Structure formats: C-alpha cells, structure tokens
C-alpha cells in the first residue's frame, strides 16, 4: 500500500454513452408487461384461481356416469368347463348423482370467487406499479441524457477558455494564477461530465430493470 500511496490513479476509460431508445413510453410498457416475471406470476395466479372456481362450480351440477361390466361366470367343476361361450355375462347401466345444496359447498364456491377477484385486483396493482416504474425510469433517463449534453458544452467552453489563456501566458499577457484557475474549472467541468455519464448509465440500467430486460440487454442467458 505504501508503494502506491503517492501514485496518481488514472482511469483507462470513461462511462459509455448508449443512446436513449427513440420509442414511446407505451411501447416500453408493453415490453415490460411481456417480460416482467412479477406480472407473469400474477397472471398465472389469476388462471389458477379461475380453474379452481370452474371446478367448484362444476361440483353443483348433476353427474351421470355410464357403467359397464363383462366377465365369465364359473359354473363347471373345473376351469376349462367354466370358461365357455355360455358363461359370458355383461351388463350396462347409468349412475346419476344429484348434489344437494349444502353450506360447505356454497362456502367453497364463494371463497373461490373471492380468491379470483383478489387475484385480479393484485394483477391490476402489479400492472399499475409496472407502468409507474417504467414511466419514472424513462423520465429519469431522459433528464440525465440531456444533462450529458449540458455538461459537455460546459467542458468545451472551459477547454477553449484555458487554451486562450495559455496563449496569453506565452505572450506574457496573462499569469500562471489565472491559468491554474482555468485548469481547475476545466477539471471540475470534466468531473461533472463524467458524473452525468455515470448517472445516465445508472438510469438506463434502472429503465432496463423496469422493462424486465436486464439479462438480455447484457447478453446473459439463464441455464435451462
């Protein structure tokens, strides 16, 4: 640690500037609905509650079963004499079951209906949450992207001012103090530009998260 204590650390690269997608927020919302796992989970819960409700409703209907039997009747003294064409027997019939109204069945049906309504409400809440997250993330990305341009203009102006003052210094019409001040202003402007780039990349990552596309955007595939 002592050997690098007085060393200057210079970054080898700067944060990348990925252009903001030129699409409407409605398209981002549609993408989020198709990709977000929390929405798909809520949708699957609605389907499960719907199937349970249909099952409980079907239990109230009459049930008719067709039944049939076929076999041999053993009437001889040994097996060979018992199994012949004369001893074959078959039968057909219908079994009808008519469920009687009961409080337990009505309670299960009412409970299934309430569970489905609750699942639909949760699905709507997830949908509204996704819309809010996508809208906020997209707005934040737009703001930080504009900030990059503003800081870049300030950096260019500071650099031009420093170059002009360096020319004056070489001709003897300026002082080292003024040059140092302008160098400090240029360093501050560059720092603000890098900070704006960093904040933009963070907001872009938040937008990808809100869309549910973080993994594909980073070329990451889940093992199946």
């Amino acid at each position: 640690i002592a050997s690098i204590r007085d060393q200057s650390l210079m970054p080898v690269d700067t944060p990348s500037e990925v252009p903001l997608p030129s699409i409407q927020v409605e398209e981002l919302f549609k993408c989020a609905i198709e990709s977000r796992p929390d929405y798909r989970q809520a949708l699957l819960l609605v389907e499960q509650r719907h199937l349970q409700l249909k099952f409980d409703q079907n239990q109230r209907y009459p049930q008719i079963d067709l039944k049939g039997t076929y076999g041999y009747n053993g009437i001889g003294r040994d097996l060979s004499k018992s199994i012949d064409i004369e001893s074959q027997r078959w039968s057909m019939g219908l079994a009808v079951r008519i469920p009687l109204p009961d409080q337990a069945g009505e309670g299960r049906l009412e409970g299934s209906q309430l569970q489905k309504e609750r699942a639909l409400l949760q699905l709507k809440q997830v949908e509204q949450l996704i819309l809010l997250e996508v809208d906020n993330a997209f707005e934040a990305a737009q703001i930080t992207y504009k900030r990059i341009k503003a800081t870049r203009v300030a950096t260019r102006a500071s650099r031009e001012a420093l170059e002009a003052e360096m020319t004056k210094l070489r001709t003897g019409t300026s002082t080292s103090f003024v040059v140092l001040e302008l160098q400090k202003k240029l360093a501050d402007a560059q720092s603000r530009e890098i900070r704006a780039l960093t904040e933009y990349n963070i907001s872009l990552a938040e937008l990808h998260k809100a869309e549910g596309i973080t993994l594909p955007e980073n070329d990451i595939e889940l093992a199946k």
Side-chain angles (χ1 to χ4, degrees):
I1 297 177
S3 61
I4 64 173
R5 181 175 180 179
D6 298 328
Q7 298 294 326
S8 298
L9 300 179
M10 300 296 294
V12 296
D13 58 5
T14 58
S16 60
E17 180 185 339
V18 181
L20 193 66
S22 57
I23 56 179
Q24 299 297 322
V25 68
E26 290 79 10
E27 298 180 26
L28 297 177
F29 178 61
K30 181 180 178 181
C31 175
I33 289 297
E34 296 174 352
S35 305
R36 287 277 293 255
D38 50 349
Y39 183 83
R40 286 184 290 178
Q41 182 178 1
L43 186 61
L44 179 61
L45 181 61
V46 171
E47 295 175 356
Q48 292 174 345
R49 295 291 185 257
H50 177 71
L51 291 176
Q52 182 63 46
L53 176 60
K54 296 297 292 183
F55 175 79
D56 292 335
Q57 287 175 339
N58 289 338
Q59 301 308 302
R60 306 173 63 191
Y61 301 144
Q63 178 178 333
I64 301 177
D65 296 326
L66 176 63
K67 296 184 177 181
T69 60
Y70 178 81
Y72 291 91
N73 290 329
I75 57 177
R77 294 182 177 180
D78 53 41
L79 181 62
S80 61
K81 293 181 179 180
S82 298
I83 303 177
D84 55 28
I85 194 62
E86 299 297 333
S87 61
Q88 295 180 14
R89 296 292 185 270
W90 62 274
S91 65
M92 299 290 291
L94 293 175
V96 180
R97 183 178 67 88
I98 301 177
L100 298 176
D102 62 296
Q103 293 183 351
E106 293 297 325
R108 285 192 299 269
L109 181 60
E110 184 178 354
S112 297
Q113 181 65 41
L114 291 175
Q115 289 292 335
K116 180 183 177 181
E117 293 177 359
R118 183 178 302 172
L120 287 171
L121 179 60
Q122 291 176 351
L123 178 66
K124 192 64 178 180
Q125 290 175 342
V126 171
E127 184 177 324
Q128 292 176 348
L129 178 62
I130 291 175
L131 177 60
L132 180 62
E133 290 181 356
V134 169
D135 188 60
N136 290 341
F138 186 63
E139 184 178 357
Q142 287 180 314
I143 293 174
T144 53
Y145 189 67
K146 293 178 181 178
R147 192 177 301 160
I148 293 175
K149 297 181 179 180
T151 56
R152 192 163 288 166
V153 170
T155 300
R156 187 184 302 112
S158 297
R159 184 179 291 108
E160 291 174 354
L162 176 61
E163 291 174 353
E165 202 65 30
M166 290 288 293
T167 301
K168 291 182 181 180
L169 180 64
R170 286 191 292 268
T171 59
T173 58
S174 183
T175 63
S176 299
F177 176 78
V178 176
V179 171
L180 289 174
E181 286 294 318
L182 291 177
Q183 286 178 339
K184 182 178 181 300
K185 289 182 179 180
L186 175 60
D188 291 341
Q190 290 174 331
S191 178
R192 287 191 293 270
E193 182 181 348
I194 293 175
R195 189 179 302 113
L197 276 169
T198 303
E199 292 175 353
Y200 171 68
N201 278 272
I202 292 175
S203 63
L204 199 60
E206 290 293 335
L207 178 59
H208 293 159
K209 177 183 176 183
E211 291 180 78
I213 59 173
T214 299
L215 296 183
E217 280 294 325
N218 293 275
D219 297 326
I220 300 175
E221 295 183 0
L222 295 177
K224 297 181 179 179

